[in-house]
């Protein structure tokens, strides 16, 4: 009996020692940033769990804003169990995104094990990314946008006509525009990326609509954060990040492709451009060549065309990346117009003038609207599409400014939201002021402090298209309606937690039909 007690006692001591050594080892691991003299909120295992809890329970852009104020423009964190450097100095940002891009041409590795998702342009790396990017570049030039503008216009007109039916001529109505506006980008993407006409506002139970909503569901975004933080664990658990929606849209696109090939029909939409690129028959106009680097065209002949799976991946990516980001941007524009009546009046005056002077509202007409452009730019400054940009170091890189060698494989995050709200870059940053972005004032904006779509060779390829989609909607909405804040309008807005995409919960405004 005594011998058994002695053995148990020894095992207990052994367990305590192993636990103590483990804690000491882990604590030493979390001293990484301290050892390099870089400010950090994580100095031991307890602060690591505290930061993890904060990340999962506070919107990312607010976490970064708190850290920014406390630790400055360069500090270190742990993203999951991996050290990550946060960089908000414009000169260093320029090096990472442009000057030394060849060392930071990949985003942080993120694969979910689905062939279609993992072949999306946003996910691809190295030569695969370069090849697909250069093949797709001619699809987003001004001439292509002009060809697709009529499809976007149809969706905007359809939406506002349906909205008129919902709002009687003399009756004001409060709405959650975040929920309502999501039907418009679904219709746009269905039309331009899947060759299908929808009316999501009137037919919310359509399978395409319900699957599209599911793909951008809030719960999926929390899972997305967990995939980023602990990718191996999530893959081991075989978590389906998008609940089968990828396969639905893949099959949907294949059906449309088959129909077009059987009927020998072509269209001026994104799907057709991808079909042509996949077959290697994409025509390049002189106007396109003026906007796309010559090296891209050499690459088109140098490398093989897209595979069918790669083509389908870009189609699905278009939907996954476009719905929530476009909805949020539209909701933010409406929100800031409701809170800033003087800005709304100026916007409506410009819309009315352009409407009087143009028989057709097309890509060119929208491009000339300086105040509309300023309103959207200021909205994206206040509420950018994503909280941060991510780049991965492909070779050891020395940041001479802080005397730190970034090891191969480390990711660097650029906190876009916090830079957009830095009072040294933008005086009175919390004020909504479109005047900052009028042509006569834009010179005062410091380069690499305005990054809603990124910068450099890996900026958002769909930026021009996204801006056109937003402009077309705002034009048609404010041509027919005014918006007002109500007692239900949140000031400030409430956001979903733990996400890289800045997503408001509800945006309540009141609609008034213009006479």
């Amino acid at each position: 009996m005594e011998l058994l007690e002695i053995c148990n006692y020894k095992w207990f001591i052994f367990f305590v020692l192993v636990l103590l050594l483990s804690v000491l080892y882990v604590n030493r691991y979390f001293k990484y940033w301290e050892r390099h003299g870089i400010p950090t909120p994580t100095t031991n295992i307890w602060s690591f769990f505290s930061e993890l809890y904060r990340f999962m329970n506070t919107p990312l852009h607010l976490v970064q804003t708190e850290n920014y104020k406390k630790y400055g423009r360069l500090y270190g964190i742990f993203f999951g169990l991996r050290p990550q450097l946060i960089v908000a100095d414009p000169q260093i940002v320029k090096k990472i995104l442009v000057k030394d891009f060849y060392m930071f041409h990949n985003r942080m590795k993120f694969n979910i094990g689905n062939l279609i998702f993992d072949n999306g342009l946003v996910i691809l790396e190295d030569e695969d990314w370069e090849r697909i990017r250069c093949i797709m570049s001619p699809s987003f030039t001004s001439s292509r946008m002009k060809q697709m503008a009529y499809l976007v216009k149809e969706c905007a007109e359809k939406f506002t006509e349906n909205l008129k039916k919902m709002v009687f001529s003399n009756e004001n109505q409060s709405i959650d525009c975040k929920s309502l506006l999501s039907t418009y980008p679904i219709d746009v993407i269905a039309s331009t990326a899947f060759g299908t006409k929808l009316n999501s506002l009137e037919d919310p139970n359509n399978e395409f609509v319900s699957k599209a909503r599911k793909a951008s569901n809030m719960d999926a975004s929390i899972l997305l954060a967990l995939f980023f933080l602990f990718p191996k664990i999530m893959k081991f658990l075989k978590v389906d990040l998008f609940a089968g929606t990828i396969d639905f849209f893949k099959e949907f696109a294949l059906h449309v492709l088959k129909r077009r090939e059987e009927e020998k029909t072509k269209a001026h939409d994104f799907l057709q451009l991808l079909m042509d690129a996949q077959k290697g028959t994409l025509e390049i106009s002189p106007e396109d060549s003026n906007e796309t680097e010559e090296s891209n065209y050499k690459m088109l002949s140098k490398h093989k065309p897209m595979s069918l799976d790669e083509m389908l991946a870009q189609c699905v990516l278009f939907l996954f990346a476009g719905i929530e980001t476009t909805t949020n941007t539209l909701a933010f524009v409406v929100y800031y117009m409701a809170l800033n009546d003087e800005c709304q009046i100026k916007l409506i005056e410009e819309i009315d003038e352009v409407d009087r002077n143009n028989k057709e509202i097309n890509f060119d007409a929208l491009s000339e609207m300086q105040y509309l452009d300023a309103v959207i730019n200021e909205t994206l400054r206040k509420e950018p599409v994503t909280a941060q940009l991510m780049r991965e170091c492909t070779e050891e890189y020395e940041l001479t400014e802080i005397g730190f060698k970034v090891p191969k494989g480390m990711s660097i995050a650029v906190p876009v939201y916090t830079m957009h709200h830095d009072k040294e870059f933008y005086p009175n940053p919390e004020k909504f002021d479109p005047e900052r972005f009028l042509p006569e004032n834009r010179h005062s904006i410091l380069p690499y402090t305005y990054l809603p779509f990124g910068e450099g060779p890996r900026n958002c390829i769909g930026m021009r298209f996204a801006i056109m989609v937003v402009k077309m909607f705002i034009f048609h909405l404010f041509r027919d309606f005014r918006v007002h804040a109500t007692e239900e309008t949140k000031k400030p807005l409430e956001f979903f937690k733990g996400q890289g995409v800045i997503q408001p919960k509800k945006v309540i405004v009141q609609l008034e039909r213009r006479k």
Side-chain angles (χ1 to χ4, degrees):
M1 187 70 179
E2 290 182 4
L3 181 62
L4 183 61
E5 288 179 356
I6 291 171
C7 289
N8 287 339
Y9 183 67
K10 287 181 178 179
W11 277 111
F12 175 75
I13 293 174
F14 176 76
F15 174 77
V16 170
L17 285 173
V18 169
L19 182 62
L20 181 61
L21 289 172
S22 298
V23 170
L24 290 173
Y25 174 79
V26 172
N27 272 340
R28 176 170 172 75
Y29 178 75
F30 289 121
K31 296 287 184 183
Y32 178 86
W33 292 114
E34 276 193 330
R35 288 198 301 272
H36 288 92
I38 294 175
T40 179
T42 306
T43 56
N44 54 50
I45 189 171
W46 316 118
S47 59
F48 166 76
F49 282 114
S50 174
E51 287 303 301
L52 182 61
Y53 177 83
R54 189 160 68 115
F55 173 79
M56 297 303 297
N57 288 277
T58 308
L60 177 61
H61 64 288
L62 299 183
V63 172
Q64 290 183 333
T65 299
E66 291 173 9
N67 288 342
Y68 193 80
K69 291 176 181 177
K70 189 171 182 179
Y71 302 107
R73 292 179 182 154
L74 287 123
Y75 61 93
I77 65 166
F78 283 85
F79 194 78
L81 296 174
R82 294 163 291 178
Q84 183 183 83
L85 186 65
I86 310 297
V87 176
D89 180 282
Q91 293 304 314
I92 300 178
V93 169
K94 180 180 179 180
K95 287 183 178 182
I96 293 166
L97 300 183
V98 180
K99 185 179 177 183
D100 296 326
F101 172 75
Y102 67 98
M103 300 281 282
F104 297 94
H105 55 267
N106 291 334
R107 291 194 170 102
M108 195 175 76
K109 286 184 175 64
F110 181 66
N111 301 102
I112 66 170
N114 183 291
L115 186 62
I116 297 301
F117 182 88
D118 293 346
N119 271 295
L121 184 64
V122 173
I123 308 298
L124 291 174
E125 300 178 341
D126 304 319
E127 291 81 9
D128 287 330
W129 166 78
E130 186 179 16
R131 177 174 60 88
I132 298 299
R133 173 88 183 202
C134 83
I135 290 173
M136 291 182 64
S137 290
S139 301
F140 289 97
T141 57
S142 294
S143 65
R144 305 297 185 183
M145 296 304 99
K146 291 174 184 177
Q147 291 174 354
M148 284 192 276
Y150 80 96
L151 295 172
V152 178
K153 181 184 176 185
E154 285 178 359
C155 296
E157 289 177 336
K158 189 191 306 176
F159 182 94
T160 50
E161 286 305 311
N162 288 333
L163 202 56
K164 288 175 187 176
K165 297 174 186 176
M166 295 173 58
V167 182
F168 296 102
S169 57
N170 293 314
E171 182 181 354
N172 297 335
Q173 182 172 339
S174 291
I175 59 165
D176 175 10
C177 69
K178 171 73 193 306
S179 174
L180 187 70
L181 297 181
S182 66
T183 61
Y184 168 69
I186 290 174
D187 286 356
V188 168
I189 292 169
S191 179
T192 58
F194 289 87
T196 301
K197 300 294 177 70
L198 293 178
N199 192 338
S200 303
L201 195 59
E202 286 196 338
D203 187 15
N205 296 321
N206 178 286
E207 188 176 13
F208 188 103
V209 177
S210 61
K211 292 286 188 183
R213 287 188 182 279
K214 195 172 184 179
S216 58
N217 189 275
M218 297 304 107
D219 293 336
S221 295
I222 295 296
L223 287 177
L224 190 64
L226 290 172
F227 257 98
F228 267 114
L229 289 170
F230 309 106
K232 292 182 180 179
I233 295 175
M234 298 299 280
K235 286 181 184 178
F236 175 78
L237 295 174
K238 297 182 179 179
V239 176
D240 185 355
L241 184 59
F242 296 107
T245 53
I246 290 178
D247 291 335
F248 171 81
F249 291 112
K250 173 187 174 180
E251 294 302 318
F252 194 100
L254 282 171
H255 174 74
V256 176
L257 293 176
K258 183 178 179 181
R259 189 179 69 229
R260 286 191 183 181
E261 288 176 353
E262 290 176 348
E263 297 174 358
K264 293 183 170 60
T265 57
K266 297 190 77 171
H268 292 297
D269 59 19
F270 183 67
L271 179 61
Q272 187 65 54
L273 293 172
L274 285 175
M275 289 174 66
D276 294 342
Q278 189 256 332
K279 294 176 181 177
T281 59
L282 182 64
E283 295 180 1
I284 301 168
S285 69
E287 187 174 353
D288 291 336
S289 61
N290 290 333
E291 295 185 24
T292 310
E293 293 180 6
E294 183 181 349
S295 60
N296 277 10
Y297 297 98
K298 292 178 181 178
M299 288 277 292
L300 285 173
S301 58
K302 179 181 176 183
H303 290 289
K304 63 180 181 179
M306 282 191 286
S307 68
L308 179 61
D309 279 336
E310 287 172 337
M311 188 207 74
L312 293 171
Q314 312 323 314
C315 226
V316 173
L317 172 69
F318 202 57
L319 182 139
F320 277 61
I323 293 177
E324 196 64 32
T325 53
T326 304
T327 300
N328 294 335
T329 301
L330 293 172
F332 287 135
V333 171
V334 172
Y335 175 75
Y336 284 114
M337 289 299 95
L339 294 183
N340 297 274
D341 200 51
E342 288 184 9
C343 298
Q344 186 176 172
I345 290 170
K346 289 181 181 180
L347 177 63
I348 288 174
E349 287 174 350
E350 183 180 60
I351 287 171
D352 290 347
E353 182 181 358
V354 171
D355 197 34
R356 283 192 302 269
N357 297 334
N358 291 271
K359 293 181 180 179
E360 181 183 359
I361 304 305
N362 52 29
F363 181 83
D364 290 330
L366 293 174
S367 298
E368 295 172 1
M369 299 181 66
Q370 294 181 356
Y371 197 75
L372 172 59
D373 190 63
V375 164
I376 293 170
N377 282 320
E378 176 67 351
T379 300
L380 289 171
R381 181 195 68 81
K382 287 274 289 177
E383 314 291 350
V385 175
T386 59
Q388 63 183 5
L389 305 174
M390 302 279 278
R391 296 292 186 270
E392 187 174 278
C393 187
T394 57
E395 297 293 338
E396 186 177 81
Y397 179 85
E398 185 169 6
L399 279 175
T400 55
E401 292 83 354
I402 57 174
F404 174 66
K405 290 185 178 180
V406 182
K408 179 180 178 180
M410 177 178 282
S411 63
I412 291 181
V414 179
V416 174
Y417 178 90
T418 52
M419 292 182 74
H420 285 190
H421 288 254
D422 188 322
K423 62 183 180 182
E424 290 187 30
F425 302 150
Y426 297 95
N428 197 4
E430 297 310 314
K431 180 182 178 183
F432 183 82
D433 183 12
E435 305 287 326
R436 305 178 204 266
F437 290 93
L438 289 177
E440 60 269 26
N441 298 325
R442 288 200 69 140
H443 68 277
S444 63
I445 297 174
L446 187 66
Y448 300 95
T449 62
Y450 182 67
L451 302 162
F453 295 101
E455 273 289 354
R458 195 142 191 175
N459 68 346
C460 176
I461 193 172
M463 173 179 63
R464 187 182 275 120
F465 180 80
I467 293 295
M468 177 184 71
V469 170
V470 171
K471 284 183 176 180
M472 191 69 79
F473 179 87
I474 297 302
F475 181 95
H476 284 85
L477 180 69
F478 286 93
R479 186 177 65 179
D480 296 322
F481 295 93
R482 286 180 59 92
V483 295
H484 306 284
T486 73
E487 292 181 357
E488 298 176 80
T489 306
K490 294 286 185 181
K491 306 173 193 173
L493 287 170
E494 295 178 351
F495 297 90
F496 284 97
K497 301 173 183 177
Q499 301 170 31
V501 177
I502 300 173
Q503 304 186 58
K505 290 183 177 179
K506 288 186 177 181
V507 181
I508 306 295
V509 297
Q510 190 178 73
L511 279 176
E512 176 192 352
R513 180 83 179 269
R514 290 182 62 196
K515 300 296 189 290

